[in-house]
Amino acid sequence: MKASVNFASEKANELEKRNQELSAKVKTSAALKAANVHIIAYRVKSSGKNIEVIKASSAKKLSVKFDIVPNPLAQKDYHKIYLRVFDPAGNLIANENNMFEADGQEMQYSSSTSISYNDDNTSFNMDWINPNEFIKGEYSIILYADGYTMGRAEIVLR
C-alpha cells in the first residue's frame, strides 16, 4: 500500500514537472517574432517633416519598421514592444528607470510601445529620438516582446 502511494506521488511530481516544461514551451512558442526589421534615420525639419538621412551629424531619430511573423499561438491582444538601441561603441542608450524583463533577466530599454496584434500581417513602426547626438558608425537595435527577443537590425550612419 505504501509503495503504491509513493509511486503515485512520484508519478504526480513527474507529471507536474512535465506540465511546467510544456507550459514554458507554449509560452515561448506564443511569443511574437519580428520579420523584415529595418531602420531608417531621419532628421526632423522645424515643420515636423521627416527627411531620410545617412549622415550621423544630421540624424535626430531612428524609425524601426517591422512585420510580425504569423503565429496562431500568439494572443490576439495588445502586446508591449521594447526597443533597445546600442551606439557604435556598443553602449546601450536608455533611461536607467526604464526596466523590463526578457530572456530571464531585468534589462533597461530605450523606448517602448504597445501594439494590437491580430495575426493579420500588419506592419509596425517604432520611432526613437536620440537624447544625444548621433555619432558615425553602426547602431544596433533589438526588439523584445512577451519576455523574449523578437528581432534585431543595424544601420550605419556616416
Side-chain angles (χ1 to χ4, degrees), residues 5-6 8-9 22 28 32 41 43 55 58 64 66 72 78 91 96 111 129 148:
V5 169
N6 283 346
S9 177
L22 288 172
T28 302
L32 298 181
R43 89 179 151 90
K55 290 189 172 191
S58 55
V64 181
F66 59 95
Y78 285 95
N91 300 312
E96 62 192 33
S111 182
I129 295 173
Y148 297 96

Side-chain angles (χ1 to χ4, degrees), residues 6-26:
N6 283 346
F7 178 75
S9 177
E10 226 173 84
K11 201 72 179 151
N13 286 341
E14 273 179 44
L15 288 172
E16 186 178 334
K17 186 175 183 222
R18 182 81 179 123
N19 198 14
Q20 287 173 348
E21 289 170 2
L22 288 172
S23 289
K25 282 184 182 176
V26 168

Side-chain angles (χ1 to χ4, degrees), residues 30-87:
L32 298 181
K33 296 288 179 215
N36 305 320
V37 182
H38 83 272
I39 309 167
I40 300 170
Y42 290 105
R43 89 179 151 90
V44 182
K45 292 179 78 170
S46 57
S47 66
K49 186 175 180 190
N50 292 324
I51 307 295
E52 189 173 338
V53 295
I54 55 172
K55 290 189 172 191
S57 60
S58 55
K60 189 60 193 148
K61 76 176 187 180
L62 298 179
S63 189
V64 181
K65 298 179 185 319
F66 59 95
D67 300 327
I68 304 284
V69 176
N71 184 349
L73 293 175
Q75 213 172 6
K76 288 182 176 74
D77 198 358
Y78 285 95
H79 292 260
K80 189 96 169 183
I81 308 294
Y82 296 96
L83 171 70
R84 299 181 85 206
V85 179
F86 296 88
D87 71 14

Side-chain angles (χ1 to χ4, degrees), residues 83-86 92 100 107-110 140-142 144:
L83 171 70
R84 299 181 85 206
V85 179
F86 296 88
L92 173 67
F100 75 110
M107 292 190 231
Q108 292 177 322
Y109 63 89
S110 307
S140 301
I141 64 98
I142 306 175
Y144 295 85

